[in-house]
Amino acid sequence: MKNIKNILLGALFFVTATILGQTKITGKVVDEMGDPLPGANIVVKGTTSGAATDFDGKFILNVESSSGVVLVSFVGYESKEVSYTSSDLGTIQLISSNLLTEVVVVGRGVIDLAEGRKTPIAVSTIKSAEIQDKAANWDLPEILKSTPSVQNIKAGGFGDGQMFLRGFDQTNTAFLLNGQPINGMEDGKMYWSNWSGVMDVANAIQVQRGLGSSKLAISSVGGTVNIVTKTIDNKSGGYIKQTVANNNYIKSTIYYSTGVSEKGWSFSSLLGHWQGDGYVNYTGGQGQTYFFSVGYQPNINNTFNFLLTGAPQWHAAAGRGTIQEFLDNGIRYNSWNEEGVNSPNLINGPEGKRYPGGRNIYHKPVANLSWDWNINESSSLSSVLYGSLGRGAFVSERISNGTGFARGSYNNHNWYGLVSNYSNELSENFNFNIGADIRTYNGLHFRGVNEFVGISSIDESSTFSGNYTISNTYGGINPWGMLFNPNTDHDQRLDYDYEENITYYGLFTQLEYSSDKLSAFFQGSLSNQDHVKTDHYNFTESTDSEKVSNFGYNLKAGTAYEITENHKVFGNVGYYSRQPFHDDLFDNIRNSNDLIIPAVENQKITGFELGYQFGSEFVSANLNAYHTTWGNRTLLSNNGEIFDTPAYESYQTQGVEQIHMGVELEVFTRPLKGLKVNGFVSVGDWQFNGNGRQRTFDSDGDEIGSSTSVQLDGFKVGGAAQTTAGVTVDYKLLSILSVDANWNFYKDLYSVGSLTQESLKLPTYNIADLGISISPKLKENTYLKGISFRLNVNNLFDEVYLESVNGNTPASVNPSENWKGLNTSNRARFGYGRTWNASIKLSF
């Protein structure tokens, strides 16, 4: 009994000493404008003991000692170390930063953020709060328009927009979702309708212009855009958000996260639905968003996370019209849908416009599994295993007198990959990375029947050999139907039927040296791509093309020197030998396995960058200069006519060289408490150098005539404005009310077209946007942690402007045939007029 008594007394003493030895410290974390930062992390330095701030930015943390240091961090802000000797730390203010160290919980070694090395690059960061405020019913390119050398083209229908970076289109900019490449494997394209939900789950987006810091075996020309989504939240909570906008747009979203349990588990999920009529006539659409993430941290050295997300949707498309047609009918005019227009997609049956102008229907679920392993104090391994199933089609009706069918042009795929990166701190000054980037892709392309109208089958015996009757339908108008009924029967397909198999494997490495003042790095990668195309001839036999293997590599190096604490200079140089896209290799991608002769060779890209950075408490600035030579590229274009008509022609121009050079300046200021004023200006000179050889194809993809030489030397590169500028002002009027506005200016924008003659210079324009946020204070200890209201008005002054022109017809001698110096016969798209959206968000 005496021994038991002693044990109990000893245990009681130990527990009491532990409790009495603990100290509670409190404080509040705010941003530079004095707003609370809910969810900020406070960790005792050198330990895993920590806490998170509540909705009001307040925290309580138990510490073992009455003195020490805590590390305070929050997404998109510079971390701060705070010493404590008392129980109240007071108000801790964090300053905005382009770095995103605190964002990444999983896949840290794979997601190539700018702080991956100390040598600076040309980079801009959009943080979660701004994304949530301004995204609403917009795609990602619209959110990035206030960064240097970026232009967004809305292009009519939901999700059909494009982004240009330093004059290069989306096919030549690498887009990564938590380290996973998401550009199309066949042609590099991005379709934002497939990623309509990414804004809802984005923690931050970082735009790396030019060479960037990407360690992957990716040879992007324009730059890299890193989309970092939510994965593991430290604290439980969620929100319900309702958005309404012009043209009957409505969007509902609900998100919840459990936080991290004591056993290391965490779950988060998001569900959303949207629908609307579209700004352009007859471009309605609807879709859903789903996101599910489960994380597990068995110990401090291992973190696992599984993520599944998708955005099934359908939306009607918009065609280009002539400038004159827009002037006659208004900027919402849709040449593919208006009554009386001779369009192959116009519906004349009694059932009305079921597929106005053609309907894009797609579902692309994406899943990835991440593992971060801290092997020891100096080395770590990060890996992301991912997969994607794309199912969908562009559907248009073939109906006469109320009977016929809806034809779908299917573009399905099965895509799997692995990215893995090993990092080792060799010494105090040297850090080494090496990794692998492996992808396998199967693309399935064909035409089939989505649904019948007034009939149950069609006889295609006159087109194909033997008795050929199509009676099966696939997908219908529902993107979920596309996913689960993807049409696998070769004898039920129309027009064309082929597959593409691409295997990609690469190795990449980086060595970095850093000291107090000087840093330098070297990056290199090797990759190989294998291409095989399979045609299912007449749906009775299959024939494989010759296997094509292309080897590529890239080399990047740079150095930086810190002159003083506030001044830093840097320089980077890179050379890429980049493989051509799969679609550039074949004579006729739809109807032939023949390779282009002579064979398409690798593109050659050389880039140079110089930069200067200045930073102080109230003002910081980034100045960048760049020069990029892009040689031996293959350029695809068309004459701007309506597809599926005899007038439509497309062009493939080989041996093209482009030179892009320019200067970019970003300035960030905080002149007064509660006021932020940021601005940028970018001036570029992008033009073609030398000449090329052009091949011409009709709307069926058959070559017309033989290749001809085209004169390109000195022609301006079209598509994006070469001079842009912008100012953003954010002012907190009251503790619950803030107002922000931005102004964007576009000049030196040129048309695109057949390249047979010089591009046209488009009129200069500018756009102003306005935003208002209201966040009323709520009583403490309520289930509802916060409520906020947001109103956005885009193109506040209803500016009428041309955002793109596809054509090269020069101005007419007759002034009545011109508009602002442009011949009105050129096909074009006008930008959106004034639009608005409003939302309410309830946080719990």
Side-chain angles (χ1 to χ4, degrees):
M1 290 293 294
K2 183 177 180 179
N3 290 337
I4 294 175
K5 181 180 179 181
N6 290 337
I7 292 173
L8 291 175
L9 288 173
L12 179 62
F13 173 80
F14 176 78
V15 172
T16 303
T18 300
I19 295 174
L20 293 176
Q22 286 188 339
T23 301
K24 287 186 177 180
I25 60 174
T26 61
K28 182 177 181 180
V29 182
V30 300
D31 63 13
E32 60 264 61
M33 299 181 73
D35 290 332
L37 292 175
N41 296 313
I42 299 89
V43 179
V44 178
K45 189 174 182 180
T47 74
T48 57
S49 177
T53 58
D54 61 19
F55 189 78
D56 295 319
K58 298 177 181 179
F59 67 89
I60 300 175
L61 176 63
N62 291 321
V63 296
E64 299 292 338
S65 173
S66 60
S67 63
V69 176
V70 294
L71 180 66
V72 184
S73 62
F74 188 71
V75 171
Y77 289 78
E78 295 180 6
S79 300
K80 179 180 286 188
E81 290 186 359
V82 181
S83 300
Y84 65 88
T85 56
S86 63
S87 60
D88 186 10
L89 296 183
T91 300
I92 303 169
Q93 186 180 63
L94 300 184
I95 304 300
S96 298
S97 169
N98 263 333
L99 301 182
L100 296 174
T101 306
E102 292 78 29
V103 171
V104 185
V105 179
V106 293
R108 182 179 297 274
V110 172
I111 302 177
D112 292 295
L113 299 175
E115 70 272 17
R117 55 177 166 84
K118 294 182 179 179
T119 308
I121 59 172
V123 61
S124 299
T125 302
I126 313 297
K127 298 157 194 169
S128 178
E130 183 175 352
I131 296 169
Q132 291 296 313
D133 281 345
K134 296 186 177 181
N137 54 335
W138 298 115
D139 296 314
L140 182 142
E142 176 72 13
I143 309 303
L144 302 180
K145 70 180 183 181
S146 290
T147 56
S149 299
V150 170
Q151 179 152 10
N152 168 45
I153 304 297
K154 297 182 182 66
F158 286 110
D160 288 338
Q162 297 184 60
M163 191 191 90
F164 289 83
L165 184 55
R166 287 184 174 175
F168 302 107
D169 65 16
Q170 294 176 155
T171 64
N172 300 292
T173 298
F175 292 88
L176 304 175
L177 178 68
N178 290 347
Q180 172 185 336
I182 58 176
N183 293 75
M185 283 283 287
E186 302 166 11
D187 51 19
K189 292 182 179 179
M190 283 292 297
Y191 297 95
W192 293 110
S193 55
N194 300 331
W195 305 100
S196 61
V198 74
M199 297 292 94
D200 296 319
V201 294
N203 256 335
I205 299 166
Q206 190 177 84
V207 182
Q208 301 174 10
R209 300 183 295 277
L211 296 173
S213 65
S214 171
K215 297 186 290 290
L216 302 184
I218 296 175
S219 301
S220 57
V221 184
T224 304
V225 177
N226 289 288
I227 305 167
V228 184
T229 72
K230 296 176 181 293
T231 48
I232 297 174
D233 288 333
N234 288 318
K235 190 178 179 182
S236 65
Y239 65 84
I240 298 173
K241 187 175 183 179
Q242 185 68 49
T243 301
V244 294
N246 53 276
N247 300 98
N248 298 316
Y249 181 89
I250 185 170
K251 179 179 181 181
S252 305
T253 308
I254 182 169
Y255 171 80
Y256 178 70
S257 173
T258 64
V260 182
S261 70
E262 292 182 358
K263 294 185 178 181
W265 288 96
S266 62
F267 300 87
S268 58
S269 61
L270 179 143
L271 294 174
H273 175 85
W274 65 269
Q275 63 186 55
D277 294 340
Y279 181 82
V280 176
N281 294 341
Y282 308 109
T283 55
Q286 68 172 255
Q288 295 79 44
T289 299
Y290 59 87
F291 168 87
F292 176 74
S293 175
V294 54
Y296 179 51
Q297 298 170 289
N299 50 57
I300 61 173
N301 292 323
N302 290 275
T303 301
F304 299 90
N305 192 83
F306 173 77
L307 182 150
L308 173 68
T309 186
Q313 59 79 39
W314 65 262
H315 70 274
R320 291 180 182 272
T322 65
I323 296 175
Q324 189 60 54
E325 286 175 324
F326 282 105
L327 296 176
D328 293 339
N329 299 282
I331 62 174
R332 299 189 184 194
Y333 170 77
N334 188 346
S335 64
W336 280 1
N337 293 285
E338 304 292 344
E339 298 292 347
V341 177
N342 182 22
S343 167
N345 297 318
L346 187 64
I347 301 165
N348 298 315
E351 67 286 340
K353 297 190 173 186
R354 187 168 174 80
Y355 295 88
R359 175 180 288 188
N360 178 295
I361 309 173
Y362 215 84
H363 190 178
K364 185 178 182 177
V366 174
N368 65 51
L369 177 64
S370 302
W371 175 31
D372 282 348
W373 177 25
N374 294 319
I375 302 171
N376 52 47
E377 291 184 356
S378 61
S379 62
S380 62
L381 178 69
S382 290
S383 302
V384 177
L385 178 68
Y386 62 87
S388 169
L389 300 178
R391 299 290 186 268
F394 183 82
V395 184
S396 56
E397 291 191 356
R398 297 298 183 266
I399 294 176
S400 177
N401 297 320
T403 62
F405 65 97
R407 185 191 73 183
S409 299
Y410 283 77
N411 296 289
N412 298 347
H413 74 245
N414 306 302
W415 184 359
Y416 308 98
L418 171 68
V419 181
S420 187
N421 179 59
Y422 171 77
S423 177
N424 192 311
E425 294 183 12
L426 301 177
S427 67
E428 183 179 352
N429 300 111
F430 285 95
N431 187 77
F432 174 70
N433 284 269
I434 188 169
D437 180 4
I438 302 169
R439 313 173 210 171
T440 177
Y441 178 92
N442 171 230
L444 303 98
H445 305 277
F446 55 89
R447 280 180 174 165
V449 176
N450 276 65
E451 62 177 347
F452 292 108
V453 178
I455 58 175
S456 59
S457 65
I458 56 174
D459 186 352
E460 291 291 304
S461 300
S462 61
T463 304
F464 305 105
S465 61
N467 182 16
Y468 197 88
T469 301
I470 296 178
S471 57
N472 290 356
T473 60
Y474 298 91
I477 62 173
N478 190 333
W480 293 92
M482 291 281 187
L483 181 66
F484 296 108
N485 191 5
N487 191 342
T488 57
D489 300 325
H490 289 294
D491 62 355
Q492 293 290 297
R493 297 182 176 179
L494 284 166
D495 298 338
Y496 59 84
D497 182 10
Y498 65 93
E499 296 185 30
E500 298 170 317
N501 289 286
I502 306 171
T503 305
Y504 178 103
Y505 35 95
L507 294 174
F508 55 87
T509 186
Q510 174 181 282
L511 179 65
E512 181 185 16
Y513 167 82
S514 62
S515 62
D516 291 339
K517 295 289 187 180
L518 179 68
S519 63
F521 80 97
F522 170 80
Q523 291 180 5
S525 73
L526 304 172
S527 62
N528 192 79
Q529 297 180 12
D530 294 331
H531 303 264
V532 175
K533 181 172 177 286
T534 302
D535 266 341
H536 303 286
Y537 289 107
N538 207 19
F539 315 105
T540 59
E541 60 178 316
S542 301
T543 304
D544 290 340
S545 71
E546 177 185 342
K547 180 179 178 180
V548 180
S549 294
N550 291 321
F551 176 80
Y553 63 92
N554 69 64
L555 302 170
K556 292 189 286 186
T559 185
Y561 183 72
E562 186 177 296
I563 303 171
T564 68
E565 184 179 354
N566 296 333
H567 303 271
K568 181 180 287 187
V569 293
F570 68 91
N572 299 319
V573 61
Y575 178 79
Y576 302 159
S577 177
R578 171 181 164 176
Q579 298 99 327
F581 289 124
H582 179 94
D583 288 358
D584 295 339
L585 299 174
F586 294 91
D587 185 69
N588 183 322
I589 195 63
R590 285 184 176 177
N591 302 317
S592 172
N593 276 356
D594 296 336
L595 296 172
I596 288 176
I597 299 175
V600 178
E601 298 180 349
N602 282 12
Q603 301 168 12
K604 311 296 182 183
I605 301 118
T606 304
F608 300 93
E609 295 176 345
L610 293 174
Y612 164 74
Q613 294 183 341
F614 169 78
S616 67
E617 183 178 358
F618 299 107
V619 180
S620 60
N622 302 317
L623 177 64
N624 306 296
Y626 65 91
H627 186 287
T628 303
T629 302
W630 184 8
N632 200 39
R633 71 163 302 197
T634 298
L635 185 66
L636 304 179
S637 58
N638 60 65
N639 64 354
E641 297 293 336
I642 299 175
F643 186 68
D644 272 1
T645 64
Y648 179 87
E649 292 180 357
S650 61
Y651 313 100
Q652 182 190 68
T653 310
Q654 295 177 265
V656 176
E657 181 174 276
Q658 292 177 212
I659 297 178
H660 292 224
M661 66 180 75
V663 178
E664 303 160 339
L665 174 65
E666 281 184 293
V667 179
F668 308 90
T669 70
R670 293 182 292 274
L672 300 171
K673 183 178 180 180
L675 176 64
K676 291 191 290 188
V677 181
N678 302 330
F680 77 91
V681 60
S682 57
V683 180
D685 181 13
W686 314 327
Q687 56 183 282
F688 295 103
N689 185 43
N691 303 313
R693 293 200 63 80
Q694 183 168 284
R695 308 171 72 213
T696 304
F697 302 87
D698 61 21
S699 59
D700 293 324
D702 296 320
E703 186 168 4
I704 303 172
S706 57
S707 63
T708 59
S709 177
V710 289
Q711 307 295 315
L712 302 175
D713 193 48
F715 284 10
K716 294 290 187 179
V717 175
Q722 305 197 14
T723 300
T724 60
V727 176
T728 300
V729 179
D730 193 331
Y731 185 43
K732 191 174 183 63
L733 295 171
L734 302 170
S735 60
I736 66 169
L737 173 65
S738 63
V739 178
D740 57 86
N742 61 271
W743 168 80
N744 287 83
F745 172 79
Y746 303 92
K747 183 183 177 184
D748 301 325
L749 173 63
Y750 294 87
S751 67
V752 297
S754 66
L755 299 181
T756 55
Q757 55 186 325
E758 194 166 2
S759 55
L760 306 175
K761 188 173 182 178
L762 277 57
T764 298
Y765 66 94
N766 63 89
I767 298 175
D769 304 327
L770 176 68
I772 301 174
S773 295
I774 302 175
S775 301
K777 297 296 183 182
L778 301 179
K779 293 181 179 180
E780 295 185 6
N781 301 319
T782 62
Y783 290 106
L784 189 62
K785 300 300 182 182
I787 182 171
S788 59
F789 302 89
R790 176 71 183 183
L791 172 66
N792 293 303
V793 182
N794 288 50
N795 195 358
L796 180 64
F797 301 112
D798 205 20
E799 174 93 353
V800 177
Y801 63 97
L802 283 167
E803 67 172 8
S804 64
V805 170
N806 193 327
N808 305 75
T809 304
S812 171
V813 294
N814 183 354
S816 64
E817 297 176 353
N818 300 326
W819 183 78
K820 293 188 176 182
L822 292 176
N823 193 310
T824 57
S825 67
N826 286 292
R827 303 192 69 82
R829 279 201 179 99
F830 279 77
Y832 286 12
R834 184 187 297 114
T835 59
W836 62 270
N837 59 71
S839 62
I840 178 173
K841 181 178 180 182
L842 307 176
S843 301
F844 53 87

